[in-house]
Amino acid sequence: IIRSVIEGVAVRFSAERLSKNGLTKLRGLLTQLDAAAKSDAPEYPELNVQFHAAAFGACPFPNLKKTAISLLEKTCRLRTVHFLPQYLPQTQAQHHKLFEALETGDGKAAEQITRRHIEHAGQLLWKFAAQAEEVKLSRDSHKPSANFE
């Protein structure tokens, strides 16, 4: 939740200041993400980090940007793309909506899209963790117990 708020605000400030070059870079990253998502390419997580960083790259507040980058780097490489690849089409649709908001300079929409996108990814990660824990508990319950009586 913290990352969604911080990055959302950074994206809002960035949306109003993104240059043509910044938008071109974002469009290129979005195209690469689309291709990586379709082929389940291993570079998707790194491209995702680059896309998010570029989305708030024009934020004029250095400390806000630094905090957003730190949170992004700590969380994004571990994201659900590794665990729940079936959600990549939905994730990419969210990336496209974010790009459209940035392209039109709609900071408020960009912030809302970013927050929902990051919160959704967090929910998917929790879902995966819960499923993995259920599988582990199920396996553990079928192991013979040691009885040393």
Side-chain angles (χ1 to χ4, degrees), residues 8-17 98 101-102 104-114:
V9 171
V11 165
R12 177 170 39 101
F13 286 121
S14 182
E16 301 159 0
R17 294 164 178 82
L98 175 56
L102 292 168
T104 61
D106 188 345
K108 187 174 180 179
E111 178 181 10
Q112 291 172 347
I113 293 164
T114 299

Side-chain angles (χ1 to χ4, degrees), residues 82-145:
H82 295 294
F83 312 115
L84 300 167
Q86 67 270 28
Y87 291 100
L88 283 176
Q90 184 178 7
T91 297
Q92 280 309 104
Q94 293 167 350
H95 285 153
H96 280 271
K97 285 181 182 177
L98 175 56
F99 178 77
E100 290 167 13
L102 292 168
E103 192 173 39
T104 61
D106 188 345
K108 187 174 180 179
E111 178 181 10
Q112 291 172 347
I113 293 164
T114 299
R115 288 182 69 163
R116 282 193 307 264
H117 171 65
I118 294 168
E119 289 167 4
H120 181 250
Q123 290 168 354
L124 293 177
L125 190 58
W126 278 109
K127 178 180 176 180
F128 170 78
Q131 288 172 348
E133 184 63 22
E134 285 178 24
V135 169
K136 181 183 179 298
L137 290 173
S138 176
R139 274 192 244 146
D140 289 348
S141 70
H142 290 83
K143 288 182 182 176
S145 62

Side-chain angles (χ1 to χ4, degrees), residues 1 3 7 9-10 14 16 23 32 46 62-63 66 80 85 102 119 128 132-133 139 145-146 148-149:
I1 292 177
R3 179 178 158 225
E7 190 170 324
V9 171
S14 182
E16 301 159 0
L23 287 168
Q32 291 177 57
E46 181 57 36
N63 288 335
K66 182 179 175 182
T80 53
L102 292 168
E119 289 167 4
F128 170 78
E133 184 63 22
R139 274 192 244 146
S145 62
F148 298 108
E149 292 181 25

